Every structure is written in C-alpha cells, then in structure tokens.
C-alpha cells in the first residue's frame, strides 16, 4: 500500500539522502498515484523531470519505498495530466510518455533501465540511418550470432542509444528468458572498479560472461582507461567464444577512437560496422511529425500553423535531441498561449536554439559548391583573373562566406585568393544589389544556400 502519508515518509528519507536542493528540484514535485502489481506509479510535472528522476534517483526511490514497507519492484513515471488509459500492456505503456524504472538488480544484472520509448516502432527511418536501422533489425530478429559484434557509430544525438535499446526490447520480447544486459561503457567501468575495490572480480566476470546479449553504449568512454579496456577485451572474447551476441556503440569508427585498445578496435572490425549519418531535412521532418503526433496526446489542443514543423526541420541542425527539445518547447508554449502556434511564435520562442544550431559552413565548402555550380575551377576563384565569368562567382563566394560563416572580412579576403577586406565589402554590396534586380542570381544564391545548409 502507498497512501499519501507513506509517500511523504519516503520523501523525507530521500530528502536526507539527496540534500535539500536536489530534493526541491526533483523529489518534491513528484506525486504518488498508488501501487499495483508491484509497480509504484509516480507522476512528474514534466517528462524531463520524470526522465531525470528515473535515471538518477530511481534506485534510491525504490530503496526508500522499501524502507517504508512498500513492496515494489518497479517505478512507473507518468507525466502530464492524469489519463484514463491505464497503460497496462507493454504497448500502451510505451506509446505514452512514461518512463519505467527497473531496479538495477533486476534479473541480477547490473544494467541500466531501458527507456520504454526507445523502440523500433518509434524510430523514424530515413536515408541517413537506413543502414544502421536495417542492421539493428537484423540483429534483433536473428537468433544466430551472425554479424557479431555489431558496432554502431555516429555523432551525438543521432539515434545510437535508441537503436540499441530497440534491439534490447525486441530481443526481450521475442525471448523473455534471454539475459539481455544494456549498459554504458561508463557503467561497465564503474562496476569493474567497484569489483576491484571489493575484491569481487570473480563474480563480476561470471556475471558478465553469463549474459546472452551484451550491449555497451558509448565505448569511447573507456578509451585510454587501460585496466578497464583489458577487462572489457576479455569479457568480449569470452562472449564471442560462446557465440553470445554483442552490440557496441561509439562516437567514431573503431579505428578512429583515440586511445582505444588496438585489440578491441580490430575485434570490433571483425563484425558488422555501420554508421549513422547526420540527419537530412526529410528525416528531420519525419521525426518531427512522428514526435508531434505522440506529444499531442500530452498536450491536447495544441496545434501548429502550416510550415512550423518544416521551419524547424530546416533550421535546426543535425542533432535529433535538439530537435525534440525544440518541439517540446513549442508544445509547452502552445498550451500556455492557448492558440495555434504560428511561424512567428516558433521563431520567437526558439531563437536561442536556432542561433546555437546555425550550421557552421566553411569557406572551403563554399568554394567547392560555387565552383561546381558555375563550372569554374577553385584555382580560378582564388586566382587573379577578373573576367566576368570568374569574377561574379568569386563575388558570390565572398557574399556567401560573409552570410553563412562567422569569419571576418579580412579572413574571407585572405582565404579567397589573398584579397583585401575592401574587395570583400565590395563583393557583398554588389551581390546584394544584383539580387534585387536579377532573378537568375537570386535563384543561384537560393540553391547554393540550400546546398550549403543541408
Ligand atoms: P545517441 O545515442 O546517438 O547520442 P540517442 O539515441 O540518444 O542518440 O537519440 C537522441 C534522441 O533522439 C532520443 O530521444 C531518440 O529517441 C531520438 N531519435 C534519434 N533518432 C531518431 C529517429 N530516427 N527516430 C526517432 N527518434 C530519434
Ligand atoms: Mg547515446
């Protein structure tokens, strides 16, 4: 049983553990909604708070509840308004914005809790991630240990963790008995260091070697940490020898991760290595549409004017996490103002994010694009010739460099053939004048800009 009073007692215990600041920020805002079937339902004011608490305080809350004689095995975080939908099936739970916390001792495996939203169902596929997605699917569906290990790499926020957790969900669903262990390389190291400290490396080894599927996220974290890498390498080999499957992610290709043990790097290359590319416009829009649909359950009544999602997809760079943040903010904003979110409102409320994600275009890229577009050689753009067919593209390059990069005028002049900054000023002015009267140049610029910002 968990009544209001019990939850207050648990909160009191937590307050002593986490300190007054963390308590005020994270624990106090939670309300308890009861316990059923060993699951305690907690409501957080925002999904961010729910996620944070689940990740950082989940175990502590479970322990505090146990101290108050509440017998729970799991926490279930709900956000937003109370819904009538019970979310009892796995499917419904995943579709709503809930975060489950499974205690880390669950199944005696010291892994991290899986986020119920990171499933294949919720993963939007586009050109930049189609290979990675196909590989992940394949690994999740095939019982044999082909493609072992699978190594997924790519930049921040492109969906590596999402795909790996989707595999974990899928495999646990297909085979509930399978021992699936998902954890970050950082957690792996932490466990290992603990085991060393408590002279308990034998059970550490046994435990890691007993899993059917080991998923280690962000392997770059252990690069350079020698004894952890050593242990990781042995764990890895032991599992491969037993035909157990391994999935690993990193921020770069195995050979490019600095200070990664060469043996690990070459082992990783034996399996299937796939990368997730930065998103493109179509994928970003697809993700926004799918997330907007999901979020509209939390914020009924919030609508967006035509072009708002397209605007975000166009202006926010490649990181999906930032994209999600922007969308969440717009929903909050929309529910606050209580009317349709217009393009102007989006512009206004996202100005900081938009500024931060303005794409960093380089002068080299500009030169390349301009040279392609006008069929002139880069060496000519850099060189001294002043014939119109070369001088005009050169001015366009200078103009674009001024508009799309943060380089100073002298810098730009310098990079484009060692010219004076007054030449750059003149070029920018000239192109601006031409744009007003010459539709061809307007089109050229529009196209080049789009290519460069894609
Ligand atoms: P990474 O591990 O590569 O840094 P994550 O997997 O944590 O990135 O992704 C960041 C956020 O973006 C997550 O909330 C994830 O659900 C979301 N995301 C990334 N790619 C996609 C996608 N293709 N479809 C839906 N959501 C995505
Ligand atoms: Mg990640």
């Amino acid at each position: 049983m968990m009544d209001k009073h019990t939850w207050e007692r648990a909160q009191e215990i937590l307050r002593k553990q986490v300190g007054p600041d963390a308590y005020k920020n994270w624990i106090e805002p939670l309300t308890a909604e009861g316990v059923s079937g060993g699951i305690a339902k907690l409501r957080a004011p925002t999904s961010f708070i729910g996620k944070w608490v689940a990740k950082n305080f989940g175990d502590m809350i479970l322990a505090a509840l146990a101290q108050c004689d509440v017998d729970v095995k799991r926490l279930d975080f709900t956000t937003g308004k109370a819904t009538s939908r019970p979310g009892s099936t796995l499917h419904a739970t995943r579709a709503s914005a809930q975060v489950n916390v499974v205690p880390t001792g669950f199944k005696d495996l010291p892994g991290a809790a899986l986020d119920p939203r990171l499933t294949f169902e919720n993963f939007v596929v586009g050109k930049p991630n189609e290979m990675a997605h196909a590989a992940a699917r394949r690994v999740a569906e095939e019982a044999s240990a082909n493609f072992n290990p699978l190594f997924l790499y790519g930049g921040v926020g492109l969906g590596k963790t999402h795909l790996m957790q989707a595999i974990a969900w899928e495999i646990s669903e297909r085979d509930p008995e399978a021992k699936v262990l998902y954890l970050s390389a950082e957690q792996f190291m932490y466990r290992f260091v603990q085991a060393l400290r408590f002279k308990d490396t034998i059970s550490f080894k046994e435990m890691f070697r007993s899993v059917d599927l080991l998923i280690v996220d962000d392997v770059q974290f252990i690069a350079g940490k020698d004894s952890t890498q050593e242990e990781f390498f042995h764990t890895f080999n032991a599992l491969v020898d037993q035909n157990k499957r391994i999935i690993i992610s990193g921020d770069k290709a195995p050979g490019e991760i600095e200070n990664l043990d060469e043996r690990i790097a070459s082992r990783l290359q034996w399996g299937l290595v796939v990368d997730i590319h930065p998103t493109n416009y179509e994928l970003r829009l697809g993700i926004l549409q799918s997330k907007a649909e999901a979020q509209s359950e939390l914020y009924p009544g919030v609508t967006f004017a035509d072009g708002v999602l397209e605007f975000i997809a166009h202006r926010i760079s490649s990181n999906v996490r930032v994209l999600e943040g922007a969308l969440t903010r717009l929903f909050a904003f929309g529910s606050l103002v209580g009317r349709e979110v217009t393009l102007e409102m989006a512009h206004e409320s996202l100005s900081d994010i938009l500024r931060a994600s303005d794409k960093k275009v380089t002068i080299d890229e500009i030169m390349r694009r301009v040279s392609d577009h006008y069929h002139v050689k880069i060496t000519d753009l850099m060189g001294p010739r002043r014939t119109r067919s070369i001088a005009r593209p050169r001015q366009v390059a200078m103009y674009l460099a001024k508009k799309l990069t943060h380089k100073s005028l002298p810098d730009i002049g310098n990079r484009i053939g060692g010219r004076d900054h007054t030449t750059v000023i003149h070029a920018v002015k000239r192109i601006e004048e031409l744009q007003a009267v010459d539709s061809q140049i307007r089109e050229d610029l529009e196209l080049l800009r789009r290519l460069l910002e894609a």
Side-chain angles (χ1 to χ4, degrees):
M1 268 304 296
M2 179 166 62
D3 52 17
K4 187 159 168 285
H5 182 68
T6 315
W7 174 236
E8 280 166 6
R9 263 171 52 218
Q11 282 184 309
E12 194 48 43
I13 294 170
L14 289 161
R15 187 152 67 120
K16 294 196 186 105
Q17 291 176 353
V18 304
D21 289 342
Y23 178 79
K24 216 171 169 39
N25 287 333
W26 308 112
I27 309 293
E28 196 178 57
L30 306 174
T31 52
E33 303 215 317
V35 179
S36 74
I39 302 171
K41 269 195 182 302
L42 297 174
R43 184 170 294 280
T46 66
S47 75
F48 172 71
I49 293 181
K51 272 200 274 187
W52 180 274
V53 172
K55 185 159 178 228
N56 294 283
F57 302 111
D59 284 344
M60 249 184 232
I61 295 176
L62 285 167
L65 288 172
Q67 260 179 277
C68 300
D69 296 322
V70 183
D71 181 25
V72 291
K73 290 180 201 57
R74 227 172 74 187
L75 303 175
D76 205 22
F77 284 85
T78 317
T79 55
K81 291 201 206 90
T83 52
S84 50
R85 198 154 39 88
S88 56
T89 68
L90 190 55
H91 188 84
T93 309
R94 288 177 183 186
S96 60
Q98 296 188 338
V99 179
N100 287 305
V101 177
V102 179
T104 46
F106 188 60
K107 284 188 187 172
D108 301 321
L109 294 177
L114 298 177
D115 183 330
R117 287 162 313 161
L118 302 183
T119 59
F120 282 123
E121 244 182 305
N122 293 340
F123 191 82
V124 181
V125 184
K127 200 126 202 106
N129 60 23
E130 84 184 323
M131 272 303 293
H133 172 260
R137 276 262 186 214
R138 201 50 192 274
V139 167
E141 280 160 15
E142 219 155 285
S144 67
N146 288 333
F147 310 114
N148 206 27
L150 171 65
F151 184 76
L152 279 177
Y153 73 93
V156 176
L158 298 182
K160 301 183 295 295
T161 298
H162 191 140
L163 278 179
M164 297 214 290
Q165 295 209 3
I167 298 173
W169 280 117
E170 183 75 26
I171 288 184
S172 327
E173 210 157 281
R174 281 165 185 262
D175 178 7
E177 297 297 304
K179 283 174 120 187
V180 176
L181 177 54
Y182 167 88
L183 82 176
S184 65
E186 183 178 4
Q187 286 167 318
F188 180 89
M189 179 170 109
Y190 175 76
R191 301 284 162 187
F192 178 58
V193 171
Q194 290 283 72
L196 287 178
R197 212 167 95 205
F198 296 111
K199 306 201 172 22
D200 196 15
T201 48
I202 297 194
S203 45
F204 174 90
K205 283 179 200 297
E206 274 173 3
M207 197 273 311
F208 274 94
R209 283 157 177 64
S210 73
V211 303
D212 298 311
L213 169 66
L214 175 66
I215 308 181
V216 180
D217 207 348
D218 292 318
V219 74
Q220 72 276 3
F221 185 87
I222 59 166
K225 314 215 159 86
D226 291 339
S227 55
T228 303
Q229 293 202 84
E230 179 80 26
E231 184 58 34
F232 182 71
F233 180 68
H234 294 311
T235 305
F236 191 111
N237 286 339
L239 288 171
V240 171
D241 286 347
Q242 297 176 66
N243 262 333
K244 300 295 181 59
R245 288 186 288 173
I246 303 175
I247 303 167
I248 292 169
S249 78
D251 61 349
K252 299 197 191 81
E256 285 166 14
I257 300 175
E258 240 175 89
N259 299 323
L260 184 67
D261 186 327
E262 263 168 45
R263 294 171 307 170
I264 297 180
S266 76
R267 267 286 197 174
L268 291 175
Q269 276 151 355
W270 287 4
L272 180 60
V273 176
V274 279
D275 59 339
I276 307 191
H277 299 272
T279 59
N280 59 17
Y281 173 79
E282 287 75 21
L283 178 59
R284 289 197 292 273
L285 186 59
I287 291 174
L288 283 168
Q289 282 163 343
S290 128
K291 307 241 162 187
E293 204 171 299
Q295 289 228 30
S296 62
E297 282 181 29
L298 276 182
Y299 298 94
V302 175
T303 55
F304 296 120
D306 281 351
V308 168
L309 296 185
E310 286 80 358
F311 166 74
I312 306 176
H314 180 62
R315 286 290 305 277
I316 292 183
S317 65
S318 56
N319 183 333
V320 183
R321 206 169 287 132
V322 176
L323 212 58
E324 285 179 334
L327 190 65
T328 302
R329 194 189 291 182
L330 281 193
F331 267 104
F333 190 78
S335 76
L336 219 59
V337 296
R339 57 194 158 83
E340 187 181 67
V341 178
T342 63
L343 212 48
E344 286 76 49
M345 283 152 72
H347 221 280
E348 181 75 27
S349 65
L350 300 177
S351 59
D352 56 332
I353 300 180
L354 295 173
R355 232 177 300 125
S357 80
D358 272 344
K359 192 175 166 242
K360 315 258 177 313
V361 179
T362 65
I363 295 183
D364 281 344
E365 272 177 270
I366 293 175
M367 298 291 273
R368 219 173 323 121
R369 291 289 183 191
V370 169
S371 125
D372 276 357
H373 183 75
Y374 290 103
H375 304 292
V376 294
K377 293 200 193 100
I378 292 183
T379 46
D380 280 337
L381 290 174
M382 309 273 280
R385 290 173 59 194
R386 286 160 153 243
T387 46
R388 163 90 76 92
S389 63
I390 291 165
R392 185 72 80 232
R394 186 185 292 136
Q395 289 176 326
V396 166
M398 288 179 177
Y399 171 86
L400 288 170
K402 179 69 197 123
K403 294 291 167 185
L404 302 181
T405 74
H406 298 288
K407 297 269 181 263
S408 66
L409 294 167
D411 266 358
I412 296 171
N414 219 357
R415 291 289 303 284
I416 306 182
R419 293 178 157 78
D420 193 74
H421 76 278
T422 53
T423 311
V424 183
I425 296 177
H426 175 74
V428 172
K429 231 176 103 203
R430 184 79 193 115
I431 297 299
E432 270 165 1
E433 285 162 10
L434 281 172
Q435 271 192 87
V437 294
D438 183 340
S439 66
Q440 182 58 52
I441 212 146
R442 266 203 306 277
E443 261 172 44
D444 290 351
L445 286 169
E446 166 80 39
L447 180 72
L448 284 165
R449 217 183 238 274
R450 195 150 354 115
L451 286 170
L452 285 161
E453 283 178 337

